[in-house]
Amino acid sequence: MTCYLTIEVFYFSIPEYLLMIAKNISQDATSTEWNSFWQIWVEEFSREIESWDTILIDIRTTEELEIYGTISENQSHIIFGTETFAEQILELDRNKKYLLYCWHWHRSAVTREFMQEQWFTWVKDLAWGIDRWNKIM
């Protein structure tokens, strides 16, 4: 007996793929539903930073980093949207805990979704970004 499996394959470059995710998140952002499992508030984010096994990743631009400062001295900086962005993300250990943040949340949400689709086991992002962090902390 012979079985046949048909698989549809779509080929996208990484920037096109990230753009598709971003469009979906923009549509979701207009919803009043809150995704509390993946996006965490400032208070929980600050507790998670203190965890020894959590890796903090800032994905803002260099200019934003200079203007708004950092949350922690112990963080990685991967600039969203560069040619090497996806490569840098994919080089990370998929079994570690990651906290992401950007200026207002959108880029960290796109990055989180990308990482989840690449089978990273624990990724969360700071709700409303470092802008919110600076207002509360």
Side-chain angles (χ1 to χ4, degrees):
M1 183 168 127
T2 306
C3 294
Y4 295 95
L5 177 64
T6 303
I7 301 173
E8 289 187 45
V9 179
F10 299 95
Y11 295 97
F12 298 104
S13 69
I14 292 296
E16 290 172 328
Y17 181 69
L18 292 173
L19 183 61
M20 287 173 25
I21 293 172
K23 287 179 182 176
N24 289 337
I25 288 178
S26 292
Q27 291 168 355
D28 292 345
T30 59
S31 153
T32 56
E33 186 177 322
W34 174 253
N35 186 352
S36 62
F37 189 72
W38 302 115
Q39 294 131 6
I40 57 178
W41 291 107
V42 168
E43 295 79 9
E44 183 182 351
F45 196 85
S46 65
R47 284 192 302 274
E48 285 291 344
I49 289 172
E50 302 304 319
S51 176
W52 65 271
D53 62 341
T54 302
I55 299 168
L56 182 62
I57 301 177
D58 180 349
I59 58 167
R60 295 174 297 153
T61 65
T62 305
E63 293 79 19
E64 290 171 333
L65 185 66
E66 291 171 3
I67 294 169
Y68 301 103
T70 62
I71 288 179
S72 169
E73 295 296 322
N74 230 359
Q75 68 179 34
S76 297
H77 184 222
I78 301 175
I79 301 172
F80 182 85
T82 61
E83 290 180 16
T84 60
F85 175 76
E87 290 172 31
Q88 291 175 358
I89 294 293
L90 295 175
E91 288 173 359
L92 300 171
D93 184 340
R94 285 173 169 76
N95 296 311
K96 295 200 176 192
K97 290 173 60 175
Y98 295 98
L99 291 175
L100 308 173
Y101 75 96
C102 62
W103 183 38
H104 272 295
W105 165 77
H106 192 248
R107 289 170 288 179
S108 62
V110 170
T111 304
R112 173 189 37 81
E113 191 163 315
F114 174 69
M115 290 174 77
Q116 289 167 335
E117 289 178 0
Q118 301 303 314
W119 299 98
F120 282 80
T121 56
W122 199 102
V123 183
K124 294 190 177 191
D125 62 298
L126 176 60
W128 311 118
I130 196 171
D131 186 48
R132 181 74 166 177
W133 173 276
N134 286 338
K135 291 175 182 171
I136 292 176
M137 298 305 279

